[in-house]
Amino acid sequence: MNRFYINAAPAALLLGVLLGYCSSAGAFDLNGAWASDADNCGKVFTRKGNQITFTDMSDVYGGGFIVEGDQITGKFARCRIKAKQDEGTTINLLAACASDIMLQSVQFNLREVDANTVMRLFPGMSGMEIKYARCPAP
């Protein structure tokens, strides 16, 4: 398996978990499906019954994550938000993530752009960020 997926999967999952945890009153609501390219939402996510899941080839179209409460689900990992701190438009999250091969604690920093857009920030890496857009329900 590609090493990038092994390292990125827990991080993507943690991001989703952290985002879901932020749905308390007055906080930014992260619940939903989030894609790195809003134009590809239908290629990243699908609905199976009443559950949103990833398509088989979702990672080809940029990938994303799904937030449901304190759970963040990525294509290759699942996270549970353990701690959250809001600092203005910045949300700091700490999540416990699990993939098929490892358990890991992951820290995420997100900046709210608008109600349907967040940026994942990478402290210590100036200018490095990933934009995620909330997708409409498939």
Side-chain angles (χ1 to χ4, degrees), residues 6-108:
I6 292 171
N7 292 330
L13 181 57
L14 176 59
L15 176 62
V17 171
L18 294 175
L19 294 175
Y21 189 75
C22 297
S23 63
S24 60
F28 184 74
D29 181 13
L30 291 171
N31 285 297
W34 296 82
S36 59
D37 183 347
D39 293 335
N40 287 327
C41 285
K43 295 175 183 173
V44 175
F45 302 106
T46 188
R47 181 172 293 278
K48 291 185 180 174
N50 60 355
Q51 185 176 14
I52 298 172
T53 63
F54 291 90
T55 64
D56 290 337
M57 300 295 289
S58 62
D59 49 333
V60 172
Y61 300 101
F65 58 91
I66 302 164
V67 177
E68 297 173 297
D70 69 346
Q71 296 290 314
I72 299 172
T73 304
K75 178 81 174 194
F76 302 103
R78 182 173 202 83
C79 299
R80 178 176 296 262
I81 298 171
K82 296 297 188 179
K84 176 190 95 46
Q85 182 179 13
D86 292 326
E87 296 177 1
T89 60
T90 301
I91 304 163
N92 300 306
L93 302 168
L94 179 61
C97 299
S99 68
D100 289 344
I101 59 171
M102 76 171 110
L103 299 172
Q104 179 178 13
S105 289
V106 181
Q107 183 175 352
F108 291 98

